[in-house]
Amino acid sequence: MNRAAESLFSVLFPSDCRICGEPLLNISRLPVCPDCLEQIHPVNGKVCSICSERVLSAYALGDDLRCPVCRRIDRPYRRAIAYGSYEGGLRELIHLLKYNGVRPAASVLGRMLAEAITSLEPAFEQRNVIVIPVPLYQGKRRQRGFNQAELIARAALKFHPAGERLQLAADILLRIRDTHSQIGLTSHQRRENMRGAFTAARAREVIGREGLLVDDVYTTGTTASECARVLRRAGAAQVWVATVARTPKLASKHAEIQLKSHAMDNISAEVEIPLAKAVGS
């Protein structure tokens, strides 16, 4: 009966997956096929214990897994963690929410964020932690109609097994100044672009508390660092960061190339051995 209903749906309401372009056969509010969703995986491998950037073996000293940047500077947050890499299907899914207004995508992204939060939770020192979405400037929020970070955070709390421990506080942090795109800016220019863009509207609720800053994407870390700095100045005891995705940097790309090269070497070896035996025979 379900198959008949899905077949009738595909005939009456033909639609294609917004990621791969294949026809959708299932009844769903999210225009993404199950195969594309199943291909979105969490980040694997060694990552920095502070910012979660992938760490090459050359920088891994025993249990001290820190990237070169986190070895040089002190971050204003305790740790930043992300579910997956900002590319492929995950990138397209985030774009569906942010730029196409496909709100059902927030539920899927919220489940991914919940997984990232669960892996971070054992490090929390307080029983109750306030969840603070990175805010949008009011003009951009009116134009978009929502703050994607807040939608994803609300969805994540529904999936989180200990949701009562996490308390959403969507209006504690405010963006009081619009900012330019960070694309193409140097690290110094990015910091200057974000400086003074945020304020803690209800600082009394932050004093002595642990805060979990959440967003859709961790790109350069400039936005997360500025928000964390404002919260710490307002009196927060500690700030953590959790995002759905993280933009892979050069180290990540290099690691992926190494893994692919290693895999190709294995395949070549597997092919060469049988060929050598065949020639010898």
Side-chain angles (χ1 to χ4, degrees):
M1 192 171 182
N2 288 335
R3 291 180 180 176
E6 291 175 353
S7 299
L8 181 61
F9 174 82
S10 63
V11 172
L12 297 179
F13 306 99
S15 181
D16 296 332
C17 173
R18 300 287 287 275
I19 294 179
C20 69
E22 291 296 319
L24 290 175
L25 303 178
N26 298 326
I27 300 175
S28 173
R29 296 172 58 207
L30 180 64
V32 177
C33 69
D35 289 342
C36 284
L37 294 179
E38 290 176 1
Q39 291 176 17
I40 300 176
H41 303 291
V43 172
N44 293 317
K46 295 180 179 180
V47 297
C48 175
S49 59
I50 305 298
C51 73
S52 291
E53 168 65 12
R54 282 183 179 171
V55 177
L56 300 180
S57 58
Y59 296 106
L61 302 176
D63 295 331
D64 185 13
L65 294 177
R66 285 185 295 166
C67 69
V69 176
C70 289
R71 289 181 183 277
R72 296 196 308 268
I73 66 173
D74 291 328
R75 302 282 190 179
Y77 53 78
R78 181 73 173 273
R79 187 183 180 193
I81 193 169
Y83 171 83
S85 183
Y86 185 57
E87 53 191 353
L90 183 53
R91 180 176 181 271
E92 295 303 318
L93 193 61
I94 292 173
H95 282 193
L96 281 178
L97 174 62
K98 289 177 66 172
Y99 306 122
N100 298 100
V102 182
R103 296 200 184 197
S107 180
V108 178
L109 297 173
R111 175 183 55 78
M112 298 174 184
L113 180 64
E115 290 190 30
I117 294 174
T118 298
S119 64
L120 188 62
E121 188 177 8
F124 295 162
E125 298 174 359
Q126 297 179 357
R127 176 167 178 76
N128 295 318
V129 177
I130 50 177
V131 179
I132 305 169
V134 171
L136 286 179
Y137 185 63
Q138 55 183 355
K140 184 172 291 185
R141 176 161 184 157
R142 283 197 300 268
Q143 180 182 9
R144 186 170 295 174
F146 57 87
N147 176 10
Q148 71 278 356
E150 182 178 342
L151 289 183
I152 296 171
R154 291 185 183 278
L157 294 185
K158 294 179 181 179
F159 287 103
H160 193 269
E164 65 277 1
R165 183 179 184 184
L166 304 176
Q167 304 169 354
L168 184 67
D171 54 353
I172 280 184
L173 194 63
L174 299 179
R175 190 186 292 247
I176 57 177
R177 181 174 63 80
D178 199 6
T179 54
H180 303 292
S181 172
Q182 299 279 72
I183 298 175
L185 300 182
T186 65
S187 58
H188 175 72
Q189 290 172 333
R190 290 195 296 266
R191 290 193 297 270
E192 289 300 316
N193 187 35
M194 286 295 166
R195 195 179 304 279
F198 303 95
T199 187
R202 302 203 312 268
R204 291 182 180 180
E205 299 181 26
V206 177
I207 297 175
R209 301 284 303 278
E210 280 188 290
L212 175 61
L213 190 70
V214 299
D215 204 358
D216 55 341
V217 182
Y218 182 109
T219 306
T220 63
T222 307
T223 300
S225 293
E226 183 63 21
C227 289
R229 191 173 292 109
V230 169
L231 292 171
R232 291 299 302 274
R233 288 175 180 172
Q238 198 61 261
V239 178
W240 308 85
V241 180
T243 60
V244 178
R246 192 189 200 289
T247 301
K249 293 188 174 64
L250 181 61
S252 297
K253 291 296 185 183
H254 182 66
E256 288 178 1
I257 292 173
Q258 284 186 324
L259 289 173
K260 290 178 180 178
S261 177
H262 180 67
M264 290 303 297
D265 289 342
N266 289 340
I267 293 173
S268 298
E270 291 175 358
V271 172
E272 288 172 0
I273 292 173
L275 283 176
K277 290 182 179 179
V279 172
S281 62

